[in-house]
Amino acid sequence: MIDSLTIHGLRGFGEKKTIQFAVPNGQFGSGITILVGANNSGKTTILEALRSFNSSKDNPPSFSERKRNSKCENGKVHLFLQTTDIGDYRIDTINGGGSSTTMSKVGADESTWFDGPRVFVLQSRRFVDYEFGQNFMERSDYLRNQQANIHNRTSSIYEFNARLFKMQKNKEAFDPILKQVLGYDLEWTIEQNDNGMFYLKLIINGCTHSSEGLGDGIWSVFTICDALYDSEQNSTIAIDEPELSLHPAYQKRILQLFKEYAKDRQIIINTHSPCFVDMNSLVNGAYLYRTIKNENGDIDVFHLSNESQKSIEGFLKNINQPHTLGTEAREMFFLEDRIIITEGQEDVIMYSKAADIVDLQLNGTFFGWGSGGSSNIAKIATILKDLGYKKVVAIFDGDKPNDLEKFKDQFPEYEGLIISAPDVRDKPSVNKPEKLGMMTQGGDLKDEYKDEITLLFAKINSYFQN
């Protein structure tokens, strides 16, 4: 399995960066590595680098001029792959420069022939020709041909017809996985037309459909299930944007498949969907990275720390605040920056209402439905700091000055603010003393706090803009 990958000089990686990959430990989801980040921030380049090692000593990959970053030795590429079991490999631009490379295995002598490790990489552009020729290919040959014949990011999957014929011969293994995603048994086969070409035939509710009218979502399900069903234990599968064209229900079922397979395989995914950021998997040993393009145009890679993973475990065990890491909170992994952390869910609601009342738009995004208490704000801020967020504001209630000071000491690069009232809105006396807030229980901003809230929001916007 893959232990780590170091990239230098490929596309946006003008500076050397190393990514460690999760290794499965038998628990659900433990072998998943999740890559998040904005578009054009290097996620697909990581998979492209992994796929480059599907080559052999005699047939190393080549990198066209536009793929090579001039900041690395005036346009050279250096890739280094460490595995847990079969040795370490290098791919380097030849001394004279240009597109050609050499592929070497650390410790192997010049006379030793070798294949690179096999990583099944499923690209994001998963168009499949609806008519195709007959072909049959084993998984290892398919991976080798994929690398040998794909020199650029193409819109269609090369030779997927060979995988379709393999699926048809192994329906007893493939169809149960397909059903797990679709939720029903799909009757399908490969048919031939009068022109000698083949197509996919499906029967749904008694109606016959051909692959010509098959939606992109079903094709995507076929390709994802194909990446999994004949994989072996300790193998590595990388899937670029598994969510594309898929209904959220399918995304959730595919995540369950990933978690199941990741007990004894590595699953690497690039994603823009909160559905694929699974907190339980992170607790079980999965890794999460965020990529960004920095001010110099180079790719930076940030990793969720062990401390943050322990905090996530604590959040998951808190049955009184189940929403703290819900879907809205998981959207933080996909924000570019400028995040506002509050104590609770009513803060998110009330500050949003107050912004409307004073006619001021906040130029940031609230974290989920709040952190679940002032003591949790620092834990959320640590997660954001791990992942490279530079602009974060925390707002504390007026009765939490000590928490504010601790936050400022721990996160001097972030902005900590506090309101004068003990709470954002009035709290009646129910098992606790009454609190008078900035807003009424009904959400009306009190006149005496309008200037303060206007100044608070102005400070936030100024911090975000500078």
Side-chain angles (χ1 to χ4, degrees), residues 166-375:
K166 175 78 183 295
M167 290 178 221
Q168 188 181 40
K169 288 189 175 182
N170 292 274
K171 284 173 68 68
E172 70 282 354
F174 179 80
D175 283 357
I177 298 174
L178 189 64
K179 180 181 179 180
Q180 191 171 336
V181 177
L182 298 179
Y184 59 86
D185 287 310
L186 180 65
E187 187 176 347
W188 68 275
T189 189
I190 297 175
E191 281 285 3
Q192 188 176 28
N193 61 27
D194 292 338
N195 296 324
M197 299 295 288
F198 293 85
Y199 63 94
L200 202 64
K201 176 183 175 182
L202 304 94
I203 300 176
I204 303 174
N205 297 325
C207 299
T208 300
H209 303 267
S210 73
S211 48
E212 181 179 6
L214 196 61
D216 290 345
I218 299 299
W219 270 127
S220 189
V221 170
F222 263 81
T223 60
I224 292 171
C225 292
D226 170 63
L228 299 172
Y229 89 99
D230 63 346
S231 63
E232 297 179 350
Q233 290 184 3
N234 300 322
S235 61
T236 303
I237 302 138
I239 300 179
D240 198 356
E241 298 186 34
E243 68 273 11
L244 289 182
S245 301
L246 294 184
H247 187 279
Y250 286 178
Q251 294 183 38
K252 292 175 182 178
R253 292 172 191 163
I254 286 174
L255 172 63
Q256 294 308 310
L257 265 183
F258 288 166
K259 292 169 67 174
E260 189 176 319
Y261 274 81
K263 290 191 298 182
D264 55 17
R265 295 164 176 81
Q266 286 181 306
I267 306 290
I268 303 166
I269 55 174
N270 291 347
T271 184
H272 295 281
S273 171
C275 288
F276 286 102
V277 178
D278 185 66
M279 298 298 180
N280 287 293
S281 294
L282 292 173
V283 170
N284 288 343
Y287 286 2
L288 186 143
Y289 287 90
R290 176 175 176 255
T291 61
I292 67 168
K293 184 169 285 188
N294 64 30
E295 58 272 11
N296 297 319
D298 295 315
I299 303 300
D300 281 334
V301 182
F302 298 92
H303 177 230
L304 197 67
S305 67
N306 291 333
E307 178 186 354
S308 289
Q309 287 177 301
K310 290 179 181 178
S311 294
I312 288 171
E313 184 176 11
F315 284 126
L316 293 177
K317 290 180 178 178
N318 186 350
I319 60 175
N320 296 316
Q321 301 280 353
H323 58 274
T324 302
L325 294 179
T327 301
E328 291 82 2
R330 294 199 301 272
E331 289 177 354
M332 71 173 165
F333 298 116
F334 305 95
L335 299 173
E336 294 189 9
D337 220 315
R338 297 182 298 187
I339 300 175
I340 305 168
I341 312 173
T342 63
E343 294 186 23
Q345 58 186 354
E346 70 173 16
D347 297 87
V348 175
I349 296 170
M350 291 300 155
Y351 286 127
S352 298
K353 286 179 68 69
D356 291 336
I357 292 171
V358 299
D359 197 24
L360 248 179
Q361 181 178 351
L362 280 169
N363 296 325
T365 303
F366 286 102
F367 165 76
W369 288 109
S371 62
S374 64
S375 61

Side-chain angles (χ1 to χ4, degrees), residues 81-235:
L81 187 78
Q82 293 183 294
T83 74
T84 62
D85 48 0
I86 59 172
D88 303 332
Y89 300 80
R90 298 193 62 91
I91 294 174
D92 298 285
T93 300
I94 62 174
N95 289 334
S99 61
S100 297
T101 68
T102 60
M103 184 169 172
S104 58
K105 186 173 183 179
V106 177
D109 59 49
E110 288 295 323
S111 62
T112 303
W113 185 90
F114 59 85
D115 253 341
R118 291 282 178 253
V119 179
F120 194 112
V121 178
L122 179 60
Q123 64 192 51
S124 62
R125 299 162 183 171
R126 296 191 275 273
F127 174 78
V128 179
D129 291 329
Y130 67 86
E131 286 188 344
F132 43 85
Q134 189 172 24
N135 197 0
F136 182 86
M137 203 177 294
E138 292 295 340
R139 186 181 181 96
S140 58
D141 295 329
Y142 179 71
L143 296 185
R144 185 182 296 110
N145 281 12
Q146 283 282 299
Q147 173 56 29
N149 291 285
I150 296 181
H151 302 290
N152 294 300
R153 297 173 182 176
T154 58
S155 61
S156 60
I157 301 179
Y158 183 75
E159 290 188 325
F160 188 69
N161 56 318
R163 296 295 293 168
L164 286 170
F165 281 101
K166 175 78 183 295
M167 290 178 221
Q168 188 181 40
K169 288 189 175 182
N170 292 274
K171 284 173 68 68
E172 70 282 354
F174 179 80
D175 283 357
I177 298 174
L178 189 64
K179 180 181 179 180
Q180 191 171 336
V181 177
L182 298 179
Y184 59 86
D185 287 310
L186 180 65
E187 187 176 347
W188 68 275
T189 189
I190 297 175
E191 281 285 3
Q192 188 176 28
N193 61 27
D194 292 338
N195 296 324
M197 299 295 288
F198 293 85
Y199 63 94
L200 202 64
K201 176 183 175 182
L202 304 94
I203 300 176
I204 303 174
N205 297 325
C207 299
T208 300
H209 303 267
S210 73
S211 48
E212 181 179 6
L214 196 61
D216 290 345
I218 299 299
W219 270 127
S220 189
V221 170
F222 263 81
T223 60
I224 292 171
C225 292
D226 170 63
L228 299 172
Y229 89 99
D230 63 346
S231 63
E232 297 179 350
Q233 290 184 3
N234 300 322
S235 61

